[in-house]
Amino acid sequence: MNIKVVVVGNLQTNCYILEKGNSVLIIDPGDNAEKIASNITSEKKVLGIIITHSHDDHTGACAELMNKYNTRLYNMHNLAEGNHVIENFCFNVIYTPGHMDDSITIYFKEENIMFVGDFIFKGGIGRTDMIGASPFDMKQSINKILSYPSETKLMPGHFASTTLGEEINNLNYFLTIL
């Protein structure tokens, strides 16, 4: 799987374009639909758009891209927790509320990559002091992902990627204060 990172909007959101053959999935198109589309060649078929949570900085370009590519939106409301296949993309949805009550993590086991939205960042976790957020849920979500391989690459909604192993010490710290 080839992954392109397109940084969009005032909050510098990471939009991910996943390619397998001629198929594409878009994760978290927060803004700048034209910029995102310019990174998808015309021979590619966009199979869908996945959002990790419903904050505007992750959803701002959804409608425009859905119209452009005549594709559908996937989120917590139509992706049950568990395994999913969208044509040649196989992934697992993990409910990870805490930053937002509709937060999900998308785990590609074959590639050992998690798209975590604003759940975890390099060196930190998402805010839990906003409407729809919960420190208790964040703690439960962190505990849930600790069972995954430490070499799992984490692709956050903002800033640089990291690995679960790199973040274990930080996550354990946050578990004690949440």
Side-chain angles (χ1 to χ4, degrees), residues 17-85:
I17 300 170
L18 286 66
E19 298 177 340
K20 269 193 173 183
N22 283 333
S23 300
V24 169
L25 285 176
I26 301 170
I27 298 179
D28 286 349
D31 200 357
N32 307 109
E34 303 83 22
K35 182 178 180 181
I36 295 166
S38 73
N39 283 275
I40 302 169
T41 57
S42 60
E43 71 271 2
K44 304 284 185 185
K45 178 183 177 191
V46 177
L47 304 176
I49 297 168
I50 301 174
I51 60 167
T52 59
H53 65 290
S54 59
H55 284 155
D56 291 344
D57 62 315
H58 292 260
T59 64
C62 285
E64 190 172 341
L65 291 169
M66 288 168 61
N67 279 337
K68 178 175 181 61
Y69 294 110
N70 190 29
T71 195
R72 67 180 291 194
L73 181 70
Y74 296 94
N75 59 27
M76 184 230 177
H77 302 292
N78 61 9
L79 285 175
E81 191 167 37
N83 294 319
H84 293 272
V85 176

Side-chain angles (χ1 to χ4, degrees), residues 112-146:
N112 202 24
I113 295 174
M114 284 184 175
F115 294 88
V116 295
D118 291 356
F119 169 37
I120 299 173
F121 300 112
K122 185 174 182 72
I125 59 172
R127 291 179 57 183
T128 60
D129 61 342
M130 304 164 67
I131 294 173
S134 163
F136 175 81
D137 288 345
M138 179 64 79
K139 188 173 186 173
Q140 299 297 105
S141 295
I142 290 171
N143 278 322
K144 188 185 287 189
I145 66 149
L146 292 177

Side-chain angles (χ1 to χ4, degrees), residues 146-165:
L146 292 177
S147 64
Y148 288 84
S150 64
E151 63 275 6
T152 302
K153 188 168 187 179
L154 304 180
M155 307 294 280
H158 306 272
F159 317 116
S161 63
T162 186
T163 66
L164 186 55

